[in-house]
Structure formats: C-alpha cells, structure tokens
Amino acid sequence: MKLKEIGEFGFINRFANTFDGLIKGDELGIGDDCAVLTLNETESYVASTDLLVEDIHFVKGKISARELGAKSLAVNLSDVAAMGGDARFSFLSLGIPPNTDVEFLDEFMAGYSEMSEKYGVPLMGGDTTKSPDKLLINVVAIGQCKKEDIRLRSMAKPGDVICVTGMLGDSAGGLKAILGNIELSDDVNYLINKHHQPVPRLEEGQWLARQAGVHAMMDISDGISSDLMHILKASGVASSLNLSSIPSSDILKQLADENDWNYSDLALSGGEDYELLITVKADDLECIQAEFQREFSKPLYAIGEVLEGAPSVSVQDGEQMSVLHNEGFNHFM
Ligand code: ADP
Ligand code: MG
C-alpha cells in the first residue's frame, strides 16, 4: 500500500493511539490543534508543531523572505489560539540548502522576530542543518492556558451553533491568483496578502475560551470542509452549514466572478484562512455575538448547526441540500 492511498490522516491514525498508555493524567497527545501538557494544578502548556517545505507550502520568489519568516511562526501561533492559549515560547529548526543567500535568511529571521515581538513570544531554541536542495522550516509553539479554559475539538454538542471569526476563502483566492499569475491590482494584492500574512487569532481565542457557552474550537488551516469534520469526528456529532451565511469578502466574490472561480468552493475547501471555528451553545449565541462585536469590532459569524448523528456536513444552499465531501487540503492524496 502506498501513502497516497491513505493520505496524511490515514497514516496518523495508524499510530495515533499507540502512545495512549504512556500519557499521564489529563494530558492530551495526538488529535487536537495542540498537545496539552501539565504545568501545575490549574494550568497547562499547549504545544504545536508544523513543518513547511519549499515548493509544497511556499515557493521562494512568490512570498518574500520576511513574510515567510512571519508566516512560519503565525501558523503555529494559530494552533495555540485554537486551544484558547496565551502564546509563550517558540523553537525554530531549519534545513537549509548551502547556496542560500544569507540576506534571504536575515530577512526571514527579521519577519520571524517581528511576529515574535507582536505577540511577546521569544524564540527559545531550535536546530540548523544542511538540506540537499529545498528549504525546510519547522516551528514549535508553546502556549499557556488555565485548564478550565482549554477548548478541544471533542467538545461540540448537538444543538450548538457553528461560528467563525472571519471571512473564509480569501487566502485560497490569493493562492489561486499567485499560481494563475493573475495580473496584479489592489484587489488581487489584498487576497495575496491574506495568503502571505495570516493573523493568528490569539486574542479572540483566549476571549472565546473564557466564555462558558463556547464549546469546541479549532483553527481553519486546511479548509472548513475538512476542518469541521475533525470537530465532528472528535465529538461524535453531525452538522449542517448554511451556504449563504458563510462570510466571503466582496473582493473575493468580485475576483471570482472575473476569473471564473467558484468562491463558495474556495470558502468551503480552500485552506489557510487561520480563522477560528467554534461551536456555541445556542442559548448563549446572541449574547456572545454581541460581546464579541463589542470586544473586537467585528462580527462572529454563525454559519450552521451541530446535529445528532454520524459525522457529516450537509450544506443548505437555498432550497437545495447536499452532503459535503471532505475536499480540504490533505497531503499525499
Ligand atoms: P493542525 O492542522 O492543527 O496543525 P494537523 O491536522 O496537522 O493539525 O495534525 C492533526 C494531529 O496529528 C495533531 O494533533 C498533530 O500533532 C498530529 N500529528 C501530525 N503528524 C504527526 C506525526 N508525524 N507524529 C505525531 N503526531 C502527528
Ligand atoms: Mg490547527
């Protein structure tokens, strides 16, 4: 059997439970945005790691070195945000082809340290090695969280309302513009910047985690169609999404029109928006939405509902109902 037949998650599932017997107390290993590691009686560390590979996750020359440095940290901080954590530390390991310009690496580190500075997350260590011909970037991010505030993918309950913290699809539109060499304009640059300069929703994540009515939480890295499925599987529930409620920017809609892209597909299956996906107790929704708006001057968008049943995403599009197939990003498939 080849890896491409089972994909990234098929592989992870083959060994994910092997270590359960070694995990102590209320610590958590594989399966969520971060692992949960005990700090003291009332607090935990949350830790996540991501690997970025040249020509798979980024193309040198398309993204600036400074943006790449900032993005490498931001995508890991997004996983800390998804647990409700306060970002505290990072580690950075690089595999570097020997002919890489030092100026490129200096710019990369300038971007990395700008992102570190912005969220008060010092770089505490790492490793540097030679790589044959592609740049490899591995970041570990560690956050801190009160145990009672930690939000897991497994916490969704039937009757919850599914919400997102921002527009979906812009980043995927930006990637399409880059790969299609679309002529640059202010609007095209807006989408490309969304792809190159993701914002980890750390303040939002911590605020949401303090609300008792917020149940499950994760960040949207692979596209909502596959990311929501992770919440559904972890919680043993089904869902329905209302297509017209999924927030997309006017810029994405306009450029999708001009370039014959399907903006709904980009919003549902495109990745790298790094907004937070949460489920909220229905009775608390109005109050949480109003307070979120006051706190962050932007809406918390309600896009669907958690239902009883086997994990599946049905999409209501006007009168039509269809079952969504998991088309978010999955390595090797
Ligand atoms: P995210 O998109 O939030 O970074 P992933 O979908 O990449 O999460 O990973 C899903 C889960 O599988 C995470 O808990 C992650 O730590 C775990 N995981 C992925 N690859 C490996 C691996 N090679 N070894 C151990 N755990 C892994
Ligand atoms: Mg994540």
Side-chain angles (χ1 to χ4, degrees):
M1 184 168 56
K2 300 292 182 197
L3 180 54
K4 64 183 182 185
E5 293 169 50
I6 58 171
E8 172 188 357
F9 300 108
F11 168 60
I12 295 167
N13 288 338
R14 289 167 80 84
F15 63 83
N17 296 328
T18 311
F19 304 91
D20 286 356
L22 300 175
I23 295 174
K24 300 209 173 83
D26 54 8
E27 299 195 320
L28 281 177
I30 297 168
D32 219 297
D33 295 285
C34 287
V36 178
L37 319 168
T38 298
L39 169 58
N40 57 39
E41 232 166 65
T42 57
E43 289 169 298
S44 296
Y45 284 125
V46 292
S48 161
T49 182
D50 267 311
L51 178 62
L52 305 183
V53 178
E54 182 180 345
D55 292 339
I56 303 289
H57 297 93
F58 63 92
V59 178
K60 261 170 122 183
K62 297 281 187 191
I63 183 168
S64 73
R66 192 173 277 251
E67 285 172 323
L68 183 60
K71 182 171 176 175
S72 304
L73 179 56
V75 300
N76 279 273
L77 297 181
S78 176
D79 279 325
V80 171
M83 306 300 285
D86 176 21
R88 292 291 314 281
F89 310 110
S90 83
F91 293 80
L92 169 65
S93 296
L94 297 169
I96 311 174
N99 64 353
T100 304
D101 290 330
V102 173
E103 290 74 15
F104 173 92
L105 296 171
D106 285 347
E107 275 292 296
F108 176 91
M109 289 313 304
Y112 193 98
S113 62
E114 272 167 23
M115 185 59 63
S116 307
E117 200 67 51
K118 189 164 175 198
Y119 295 103
V121 186
L123 175 60
M124 303 297 276
D127 197 13
T128 304
T129 77
K130 182 164 139 182
S131 161
D133 61 352
K134 303 282 184 207
L135 178 62
L136 309 178
I137 306 163
N138 172 243
V139 175
V140 176
I142 299 175
Q144 193 172 332
C145 200
K146 274 194 200 161
K147 286 187 179 179
E148 67 199 44
D149 288 349
I150 293 175
R151 290 300 186 274
L152 305 176
R153 296 175 179 184
S154 57
M155 290 173 164
K157 295 189 173 67
D160 282 358
V161 178
I162 300 166
C163 297
V164 285
T165 53
M167 307 276 177
L168 302 182
D170 282 350
S171 175
L175 181 60
K176 251 186 150 13
I178 295 164
L179 297 178
N181 283 315
I182 303 278
E183 196 182 328
L184 296 182
S185 65
D186 285 353
D187 284 356
V188 172
N189 280 330
Y190 171 86
L191 296 187
I192 292 176
N193 287 343
K194 286 286 195 165
H195 187 67
H196 285 163
Q197 301 168 11
V199 179
R201 301 298 181 193
L202 282 159
E203 285 107 10
E204 291 90 334
Q206 286 168 83
W207 185 89
L208 288 164
R210 286 196 299 273
Q211 316 305 315
V214 171
H215 291 161
M217 181 152 72
M218 74 177 293
D219 69 329
I220 304 174
S221 55
D222 294 340
I224 197 168
S225 61
S226 79
D227 286 334
L228 177 58
M229 208 58 191
H230 290 310
I231 288 187
L232 303 178
K233 283 184 182 160
S235 301
V237 291
S239 72
S240 75
L241 292 178
N242 189 347
L243 195 62
S244 63
S245 310
I246 293 176
S248 299
S249 71
D250 290 341
I251 292 178
L252 179 67
K253 287 180 189 159
Q254 173 73 30
L255 281 168
D257 229 28
E258 286 169 19
N259 293 288
D260 219 13
W261 306 333
N262 183 328
Y263 77 83
S264 299
D265 279 355
L266 292 176
L268 287 170
S269 304
E272 301 210 63
D273 286 306
Y274 296 105
E275 294 295 345
L276 298 175
L277 174 64
I278 60 171
T279 77
V280 180
K281 190 177 173 197
D283 290 346
D284 294 0
L285 178 70
E286 243 178 72
C287 179
I288 287 177
Q289 278 181 312
E291 282 174 25
F292 185 91
Q293 174 76 46
R294 252 198 307 279
E295 191 73 22
F296 299 105
S297 306
K298 63 179 184 183
L300 180 65
Y301 301 95
I303 61 169
E305 201 188 344
V306 178
L307 306 169
E308 273 181 42
S312 71
V313 184
S314 25
V315 178
Q316 188 83 43
D317 183 5
E319 297 290 282
Q320 279 193 325
M321 181 81 127
S322 56
V323 174
L324 196 68
H325 294 285
N326 181 351
E327 280 163 357
F329 191 75
N330 188 336
H331 282 282
F332 313 111
M333 302 289 270

